[in-house]
């Protein structure tokens, strides 16, 4: 069994540590704001000889992902990190990485997109990458960011998956805060992630292959996309299997949705990322006062855990979704649309309302969460009509 | 017994408040506590007013928001007293610790603080100039913090300080920092 070491470290530091332990062959990064200190810490590991990775400094985030794609197609284990505008600039390459079925692992510090200019936490950047075909994890804290990174390698490289994986952690709140986290010894991580066996690498001259080639009208483009869909569906089982295996090593439970108080909850909040902790904290307090409240944290965003979520919410009288990103013109935020969709087939459909919150790092005060539970109690009791969308805590609600 | 202590740091960028918030968190870890420390990031320019936060708990910390009702406020620059309401939201039995030459009674008169709260003052900048030879008041302020609150252990803090400093400096600098901590511990006065 592994030995564990407890650290007081930032989310970025523990993700960099996880990446060092996974020992990628190549990392490509563009080290400028909005980057993360993940690549900075990792560069220091390379400089000190603590990891033998080919560290490629490039001229933009677009080039960073391009270099990752090239290296991964060549047969290398590849990791990188990005954030905000950087992820946005990678957008077309994100599709290419997924379409070429390259098991790249990338950390994203979830941060706002301009304009107006803002460098703080929300999920706007990652939601822009929603449909690019990457398996996507969310972390509540530094510990989960570390755990997700190690599991991501196994999921990405699994023969039934072969998809890029993004492990996300909330900008500043998780990336830059000192938190307590436990890390495993190097040998145990090495044994867990295993040695990478590339499939169809470009540099295997004995078995020449073509990657990312033309598949135009009448070509196999359509069927390739279907295969991506199948791979993403396969990821559901692989994520759980890898999670179960990792849980035994880490001693920490893992599930794609994690409920608290859901055994007999009348009302529930669905949430992703660091705010899940704030919600659980408030829920604990309300439980002590006798209120039957619960919360469900989504830990894996793609593939979205429809069935698990619907099961977790069964019997609940009213549900609130917390969205830290907008989808202007949609009925609500991106998470809201998924949650409602997941509940469409439920026998007893309950009211589901959405709260857009915390955009641009707006502080998620506990009283805001209390307000949501208050609204839910009113909706469940039938004393208030559910408002589909609320901007939670915005000054001058317009 | 579940116990949570919340500290808010006020300083000007460059005075080491973020580092102090982190070192106190790391010291708490050494005592098997659950720490959390985060700066409030803004436009970062030397001398601009900044805030940082430390939470120390006996159980895992779930919340991720700013500290609005601190048990302890540490002010690294007394020129902030005129422009920032450093005592905002202070717990009724809380404490404000200020780096200043002004006596605590006068600082108390200046601040709007609850009756049961305490105000403590220490010339941490003067002490830093005497010992470390630079006006970096963060380390001595932790000495005062430990004296008044016992939130972390003095020996554990000094050991961590030595470990951190030894990466870049020799024993002389470690001794100077230790002296600054001891002096602030001794010299801090309360009203």
């Amino acid at each position: 069994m592994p030995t564990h070491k407890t650290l007081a470290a930032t989310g970025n530091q523990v993700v960099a540590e996880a990446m060092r332990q996974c020992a990628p062959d190549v990392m490509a990064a563009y080290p400028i704001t909005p980057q993360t200190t993940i690549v900075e810490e990792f560069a220091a590991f390379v400089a000190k000889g603590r990891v033998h990775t080919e560290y490629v400094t490039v001229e933009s985030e677009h080039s960073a992902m391009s270099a990752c794609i090239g290296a991964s197609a060549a047969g290398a284990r590849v990791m990188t990190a990005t954030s905000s505008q950087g992820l946005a600039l990678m957008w077309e390459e994100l599709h290419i990485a997924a379409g070429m079925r390259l098991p790249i692992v990338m950390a994203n510090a979830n941060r706002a997109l301009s304009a107006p200019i803002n460098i703080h936490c929300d999920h706007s950047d990652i939601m822009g990458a929603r449909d690019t075909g990457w398996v996507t994890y969310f972390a509540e804290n530094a510990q989960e960011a570390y755990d997700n990174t190690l599991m991501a390698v196994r999921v990405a490289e699994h023969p039934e998956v072969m998809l890029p994986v993004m492990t996300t952690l909330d900008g500043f709140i998780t990336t830059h805060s000192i938190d307590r986290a436990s890390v495993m010894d190097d040998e145990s991580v090495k044994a867990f992630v295993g040695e990478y066996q590339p499939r169809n690498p470009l540099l295997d001259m004995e078995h020449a292959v073509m990657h990312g080639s033309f598949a135009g009208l009448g070509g196999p483009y359509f069927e390739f996309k279907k295969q991506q869909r199948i791979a993403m569906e396969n990821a559901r089982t692989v994520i759980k299997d890898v999670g179960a295996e990792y849980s035994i090593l880490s001693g920490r439970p893992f599930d794609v949705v994690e409920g608290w108080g859901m055994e007999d909850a009348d009302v529930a909040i669905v949430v992703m990322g660091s705010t899940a902790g704030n919600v659980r904290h408030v829920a604990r307090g309300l439980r002590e006062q006798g209120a039957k409240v619960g919360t469900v944290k989504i830990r894996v965003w793609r593939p979205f855990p429809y069935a698990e979520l619907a099961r977790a919410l069964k019997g609940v009288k009213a549900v609130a979704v917390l969205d830290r990103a907008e989808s202007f013109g949609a009925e609500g935020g991106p998470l809201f649309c998924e949650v409602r969709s997941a509940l469409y087939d439920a026998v007893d459909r309950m009211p589901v309302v959405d709260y857009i919150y915390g955009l641009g790092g707006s502080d998620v005060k506990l009283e805001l969460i209390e307000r949501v539970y208050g609204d839910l109690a009113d909706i469940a009791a039938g004393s208030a009509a559910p408002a589909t969308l609320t901007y939670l805590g915005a000054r001058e609600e317009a | 017994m579940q116990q949570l202590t919340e500290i808010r740091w006020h300083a000007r960028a460059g005075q080491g408040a973020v580092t102090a918030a982190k070192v106190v968190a790391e010291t708490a870890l050494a005592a098997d506590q659950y720490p959390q420390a985060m700066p409030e990031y803004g436009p970062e320019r030397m001398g601009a007013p900044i805030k940082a936060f430390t939470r120390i708990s006996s159980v895992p910390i779930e919340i991720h928001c700013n500290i609005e009702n601190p048990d302890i406020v540490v002010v690294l620059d007394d020129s902030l007293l005129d422009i920032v309401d450093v005592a905002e939201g202070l717990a009724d039995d809380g404490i404000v610790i200020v780096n200043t030459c002004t006596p605590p009674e006068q600082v108390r008169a200046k601040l709007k603080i609850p009756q049961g709260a305490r105000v403590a003052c220490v010339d941490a900048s003067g002490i830093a100039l005497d010992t470390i030879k630079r006006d970096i008041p963060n380390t001595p302020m932790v000495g005062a913090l430990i004296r008044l609150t016992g939130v972390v252990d003095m020996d554990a803090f000094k050991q961590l300080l030595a470990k951190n400093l030894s990466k870049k400096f020799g024993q002389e600098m470690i001794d100077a920092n230790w002296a600054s901590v001891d002096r602030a511990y001794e010299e801090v006065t309360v009203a």
Side-chain angles (χ1 to χ4, degrees):
Chain A
M1 288 301 280
T3 54
H4 304 272
K5 188 168 70 175
T6 307
L7 305 176
T10 66
N12 280 346
Q13 282 173 322
V14 296
V15 170
E17 175 70 359
M19 288 184 168
R20 180 191 66 73
Q21 295 180 309
C22 295
D25 300 304
V26 175
M27 176 179 283
Y30 180 61
I32 195 172
T33 297
Q35 240 301 349
T36 68
T37 52
I38 295 169
V39 298
E40 183 183 326
E41 299 265 345
F42 195 90
F45 289 143
V46 175
K48 288 174 187 161
R50 294 195 61 208
V51 67
H52 301 289
T53 298
E54 184 70 33
Y55 193 96
V56 189
T57 51
V58 289
E59 71 280 10
S60 77
E61 304 274 352
H62 188 277
S63 302
M65 185 44 64
S66 301
C68 287
I69 288 168
S72 184
R77 176 178 279 169
V78 180
M79 301 180 104
T80 188
T82 191
S83 182
S84 181
Q85 308 296 136
L87 182 66
L89 188 55
M90 283 182 181
W91 192 73
E92 64 170 350
E93 304 303 314
L94 297 177
H95 285 266
I96 294 169
M100 285 172 65
R101 308 290 300 276
L102 301 173
I104 299 164
V105 172
M106 176 161 71
N108 187 65
N110 302 326
R111 281 156 62 168
L113 293 174
S114 298
I117 293 172
N118 184 296
I119 59 166
H120 292 280
C121 175
D122 69 30
H123 299 162
S124 300
D125 54 357
I126 190 69
M127 289 304 155
R130 183 187 65 180
D131 298 336
T132 57
W134 288 55
V135 172
T136 308
Y137 285 81
F138 270 78
E140 179 185 323
N141 48 34
Q143 184 67 67
E144 289 188 1
Y146 175 82
D147 297 341
N148 290 352
T149 306
L150 301 186
M151 291 188 285
V153 177
R154 284 283 300 278
V155 172
E157 295 174 0
H158 192 283
E160 298 298 318
V161 179
M162 289 299 284
L163 287 174
V165 180
M166 230 180 298
T167 66
T168 78
L169 55 165
D170 280 352
F172 293 103
I173 296 164
T174 310
T175 59
H176 286 64
S177 294
I178 297 265
D179 198 356
R180 176 168 157 152
S182 172
V183 300
M184 283 198 293
D185 64 285
D186 287 2
E187 284 308 310
S188 299
V189 172
K190 200 174 159 187
F192 174 73
V193 297
E195 196 154 318
Y196 177 43
Q197 306 291 342
R199 300 173 80 205
N200 307 315
L202 277 177
L203 292 184
D204 181 359
M205 299 304 178
E206 303 289 308
H207 306 88
V209 290
M210 192 181 277
H211 279 244
S213 57
F214 184 67
L217 196 61
Y221 182 89
F222 192 35
E223 290 71 25
F224 264 83
K225 293 299 135 183
K226 188 181 175 193
Q227 287 180 1
Q228 274 177 257
R229 159 64 71 166
I230 292 167
M232 190 60 95
E233 292 304 316
N234 291 345
R236 294 184 189 279
T237 313
V238 174
I239 288 166
K240 286 187 180 179
D241 291 348
V242 169
E245 192 184 323
Y246 185 75
S247 284
I248 293 167
L249 291 180
S250 68
R252 291 178 289 278
F254 169 84
D255 209 341
V256 291
V257 301
E258 294 177 2
W260 186 92
M262 292 308 297
E263 304 75 24
D264 61 345
D266 285 335
V267 299
I269 292 178
V270 180
V271 60
M272 297 198 294
S274 59
T275 303
N278 296 25
V279 173
R280 202 182 317 108
H281 182 83
V282 170
R284 269 182 222 282
L286 292 171
R287 277 267 167 186
E288 280 169 20
Q289 297 166 29
K292 283 188 177 176
V293 299
T295 177
V296 179
K297 174 174 76 180
I298 306 283
R299 187 141 169 198
V300 176
W301 163 244
R302 281 293 181 272
F304 191 79
Y306 291 98
E308 295 83 352
L309 182 69
R311 255 201 310 278
L313 293 173
K314 196 163 179 281
V316 171
K317 292 175 189 150
V319 173
V321 178
L322 299 189
D323 262 299
R324 206 164 193 165
E326 254 291 13
S327 180
F328 302 108
E331 196 165 21
L335 180 57
F336 174 73
C337 295
E338 299 290 358
V339 174
R340 273 211 169 176
S341 180
L343 293 169
Y344 186 80
D345 294 329
V347 179
D348 295 310
R349 253 182 290 166
M350 67 295 275
V352 184
V353 293
D354 194 23
Y355 291 82
I356 304 277
Y357 78 100
L359 299 186
S362 174
D363 194 28
V364 187
K365 300 178 201 311
L366 301 180
E367 68 206 40
L368 295 175
I369 308 298
E370 286 163 6
R371 197 191 300 174
V372 174
Y373 274 123
D375 291 352
L376 283 175
D378 291 344
I379 294 168
S383 60
T388 305
L389 181 73
T390 306
Y391 255 70
L392 184 62
R395 286 165 293 225
E396 289 297 309
E397 288 190 358
Chain B
M1 173 71 184
Q2 184 176 330
Q3 200 180 349
L4 172 69
T5 304
E6 296 187 312
I7 308 171
R8 189 173 66 211
W9 306 76
H10 292 272
R12 292 187 180 277
Q15 290 182 315
V18 174
T19 306
K22 287 181 176 180
V23 174
V24 169
E26 286 169 14
T27 310
L29 179 80
D32 203 27
Q33 298 280 92
Y34 290 83
Q36 190 186 67
M38 63 280 188
E40 185 179 75
Y41 279 94
E44 289 154 57
R45 7 177 245 286
M46 284 289 260
I50 60 135
K51 281 188 262 186
F53 308 95
T54 305
R55 285 191 176 97
I56 297 170
S57 172
S58 56
V59 295
I61 299 171
E62 296 178 304
I63 48 175
H64 303 279
C65 47
N66 291 343
I67 293 171
E68 297 193 319
N69 300 110
D71 303 296
I72 302 162
V73 170
V74 183
V75 183
L76 267 62
D77 191 311
D78 66 357
S79 70
L80 292 171
L81 299 176
D82 294 320
I83 56 171
V84 179
D85 182 6
V86 298
E88 188 181 8
L90 182 69
D92 290 341
D93 58 349
I95 183 164
V96 181
I97 310 168
V98 187
N99 168 25
T100 183
C101 302
T102 311
E105 294 77 10
Q106 283 183 34
V107 173
R108 186 180 186 97
K110 200 171 192 167
L111 297 174
K112 281 175 255 150
I113 64 163
Q115 210 166 11
R118 293 180 293 164
V119 173
C121 294
V122 62
D123 179 16
S125 287
I127 291 170
L129 284 168
D130 276 354
T131 52
I132 312 167
K133 310 295 179 198
R134 283 179 67 190
D135 183 5
I136 304 178
N138 60 349
T139 305
M141 284 304 278
V142 177
L145 172 74
I146 291 172
R147 166 79 180 271
L148 296 162
T149 67
V151 67
V152 289
D153 179 69
M154 180 59 116
D155 287 336
F157 172 64
K158 281 186 166 177
Q159 288 312 313
L160 191 72
L161 196 57
K163 192 177 141 202
N164 289 349
L165 286 166
S166 65
K167 289 172 194 162
K168 283 187 189 169
F169 302 101
Q171 189 60 40
E172 202 177 331
M173 186 53 94
I174 292 170
D175 289 341
N177 274 271
W178 281 358
S180 79
V181 174
D182 289 336
R183 272 193 54 189
Y185 184 93
E186 293 300 327
E187 293 174 21
V188 65
T189 55
V190 187

